[in-house]
Amino acid sequence: MTTLVASGITDPGQVRTQNQDTFLVEDDLVLIADGMGGYAGGEVAAQIAADVVGDRFADDRSADGLRDAVADANRQIYERGVEPGLEGMGTTLVALAVVDPAPRLLLVNVGDSRAYLLRDGSLSQLTEDHSVAAELVRLGRLEEDEGAEHPGRHVLTRALGVERDVEPDLIEIEPEEGDRVLLCSDGLSNELDDEAIRSMLAVGGPSDAGSLVTSSVAPSAATTTTVGAVASTSATHRVTSVLPSGPTLAVRPVLTSRERRRRRREDRRARRAYNKWVSFRGTLFLLALVGVLVVGFAVLRWYGTENYVVTVRGDRVVILQGQPGGFLWWPQRVVVTERFGVHQVPVSARSALRTGVSEPSLRDAERLVANMHGQWRQLHGHTSTGTSTTTAPITGGT
C-alpha cells in the first residue's frame, strides 16, 4: 500500500511582511498554494484552494475527484474575486495525492509551483511551469537558460481564480520504495538550482533536511511540503535611526550703570541696526515662506499628477495619469489609449489590469504595457504594435 510520510513549513522570507503561501499535509494528500493579488487577496485565494481541495478530495479520492476538487476551488476563488479588496486574486497549486484504486500517486499542477522527485540519487522535475517564459521554452523560441532570465518567467499563463475555468496538469507517478518528492513555491525554486535541491532531498530524514536548508538557504520567499523532508527559512531585520542635536543658546552679559551711561549712544545705534536686521530677517522669512509654499505646491502637483495607472476602459488598455478619483485641482485623465484590447495581454495579467497597476512614471507604464503585449504577441507569433494618445479627463478612479 502506498503511504505518504510528509511534513511541511512556510515562511515569508526576507522581503515580504505577509505570507501568502499555504500548505496542507494529510495522510493521502499534500499540497502547496502560492497566493497572488493584493495585500489580502493572495492569502485568501491560497487558503480557499487548500480548504476546498482538501475537503473535496476527502469525499472522493479518485483521479476525477481530485480534478473536480481543483475545479471547485478555482470557481470559488473566481467568484470571491469580485469582493472589495480581493479583486484580481489568484493562486498557484501543486498537490500530490494517493488516489483510488491504490497504490497510485497523482500530481496536479496549476501555475509555477513545482514538484521534484528524488529516486536512486537522481533528481527530476515532475511539473511544468505555466508561465510565459516556460511556454516560450517549450515552443523552442527560448533556450532554457534564457527562460530563467526572461521577464515573462513571473507572468503566469494559468492560475486558480483568474478565469472561470482552468485546465490543470495531472501526472501519474509509479511509486517506488524510497522515493522522495518535494513540493515547493517559486520562492524556493527561484533560489536553488537542481543540484542544491537534490542535495537537500538526499540528506537523512525530515529533521535533518530541515536543519540543512535552514542553515544554508535564505530565499526571498519559500514554502515547501516534502515527502520525507522539510525545509524552512528565516529572516532578520535591523533598523537604525539618528536624531539631530538641539540648537545652542548665546548669553548676552549684563551691563553696569556706568557702562550703560557710557554706551547709551552705542546702544541706540545698536538698536537701530538690530531693527534693520529684524526687518531684513522678516524679509528673509517672507521669502522663505513663499519658497516653502512654492515647493509645497510643486510637491502637491507632483503627487497629484506623477502617478500612472495601467488599466482597462471598455475593452481597451489605457494609461491614466493622476491619483484615483483625482487630487485637489488635478483630475485623473487618460494620457494613452493603446490600439489593442485586454484580450491581447497574458491571461494572468488581465485581472490586475482591470483593478489597475500603478507605475511611478509614464515610461515605466509604457514599458509595462509593451512587455505584457509583447509577451502575448510572442506566444501568438505577431511582430508589430502601436499606440495612440488622448488627453480626455475622467472623474472615476481605478
Side-chain angles (χ1 to χ4, degrees), residues 225-243:
T225 300
T226 69
V227 178
V230 56
S232 64
T233 63
S234 61
T236 302
H237 300 275
R238 176 177 297 173
V239 178
T240 304
S241 61
V242 179
L243 298 178

Side-chain angles (χ1 to χ4, degrees), residues 107-110 127-130 138 158 167-171:
L107 266 173
V108 61
N109 176 52
V110 180
T127 56
E128 292 185 339
D129 294 348
H130 300 146
R138 286 191 285 272
R158 267 186 272 177
E167 183 64 30
D169 289 346
L170 277 85
I171 306 163

Side-chain angles (χ1 to χ4, degrees), residues 336-349:
V336 174
T337 299
E338 303 295 340
R339 294 178 181 173
F340 57 87
V342 68
H343 62 283
Q344 292 176 299
V345 299
V347 171
S348 61

